[in-house]
Amino acid sequence: MSDDQVKLPDPAELKRLAASRPDQLRGIAAELAKGRRIPELEPLFAEPPRGADDPEVELRACLLGELALMGVSWRERPGLEAYAARLRELGHPLSWLPGERLDLEHRFGVRVRGAGPVKSAGQLRGRFPEIPATEAGAEAGRTAQEVRDAERAREAARAFTAGGWAREPETRFFTLPEPLGDDDFGMAFLQELPLDCLAGETGRGGALACLTAADDVANELYSASFNGGVDGRPQHGAYARLHAWRGLYAMLGLPAGMPFLDAVRYAADCRWLRFMAFTRWFHHDTADVGFAVLDPSRTRVAVLAATDTGD
């Protein structure tokens, strides 16, 4: 490698970081992606990866993920695509991701002035259209049956647990005996479900649900992992992207082998809610999120809630 090409940190240091501070190793990849031109970085992918557990391979895998977030398509650069293909053969988790940034990811890593965490009912109503409560929704909620799936729940919440959010997220899944009308999928419905986050009095702020879309949910998952919790560690772009996509697939109950564009189309046919409730479970301090999704058949519901302030 010539002097004008990128040199990786010392292998011993990479090994130490991979074992004790993977967040710092991922941070190095993020800095390389931001601070170097693509022609400088491409030689790093000239040699195929030796093994998925090699710290240098891990750094390059993270770098591929960071480049994709920046709009670099692996498919348009043979060296990157070949390296990614070998990572897939080795079973590296980051190799599952799309080789280019999809439209659903348009908000990942983009800061919008004034669009911080939603902490009040007024903020939520100001950004998203509220869904009025209906008695039909409440009646349907009372017919819901919970479906327990611990692994799916872990995947849906990993963006928060990996980032170190203070409280264990609540992830629950339900089925309905009959299709639910879109207008009845609101807070009246959610409050009839056996959810810890909605249990008890709602306080002066009440409870409300607003209509949103899959890209809003994916962006919150990405941001939670990217930034880390108050007492956690940031996961940086590549792994935040992984946790966002895995969380979205888990919420929708999709198999990992479904093509990403098919998953995007499926998500667009779903009904998505962002909800807020002033119960004891939420703290309305640093960050709180509540999401629910109704599948295209209108008979399956997933709920995900998280708060970044512990008791």
Side-chain angles (χ1 to χ4, degrees), residues 126-289:
R127 297 188 193 181
F128 304 92
E130 185 174 0
I131 304 298
T134 67
E135 181 56 35
E139 292 177 1
R142 291 190 283 271
T143 70
Q145 296 293 316
E146 184 169 6
V147 178
R148 297 187 181 276
D149 188 331
E151 179 57 31
R152 183 183 169 194
R154 281 193 295 271
E155 282 297 308
R158 199 175 299 277
F160 302 99
T161 57
W165 277 43
R167 184 197 287 272
E168 184 71 20
E170 181 175 17
T171 311
R172 309 282 281 273
F173 310 107
F174 303 90
T175 60
L176 298 169
E178 296 180 357
L180 179 65
D182 286 355
D183 292 340
D184 297 322
F185 184 49
M187 183 51 68
F189 171 83
L190 295 177
Q191 286 182 310
E192 293 297 330
L193 303 180
L195 298 171
D196 294 338
C197 65
L198 296 182
E201 297 297 323
T202 56
R204 294 172 58 187
L208 70 154
C210 294
L211 186 64
T212 188
D215 63 336
D216 175 44
V217 180
N219 183 62
E220 285 287 358
L221 296 176
Y222 176 86
S223 297
S225 183
F226 182 89
N227 296 317
V230 171
D231 298 318
R233 294 173 177 175
Q235 300 302 297
H236 299 283
Y239 274 90
R241 188 183 186 218
L242 176 67
H243 296 143
W245 276 108
R246 281 187 169 175
L248 201 67
Y249 268 60
M251 286 192 72
L252 296 174
L254 302 179
M258 175 178 280
F260 288 97
L261 292 180
D262 289 346
V264 170
R265 283 190 286 269
Y266 184 93
D269 290 335
C270 294
R271 184 81 166 175
W272 296 87
L273 297 180
R274 184 189 269 261
F275 67 88
M276 173 180 289
F278 288 80
T279 62
R280 292 179 61 85
W281 196 93
F282 291 109
H283 290 268
H284 299 277
D285 181 9
T286 304
D288 301 270
V289 294

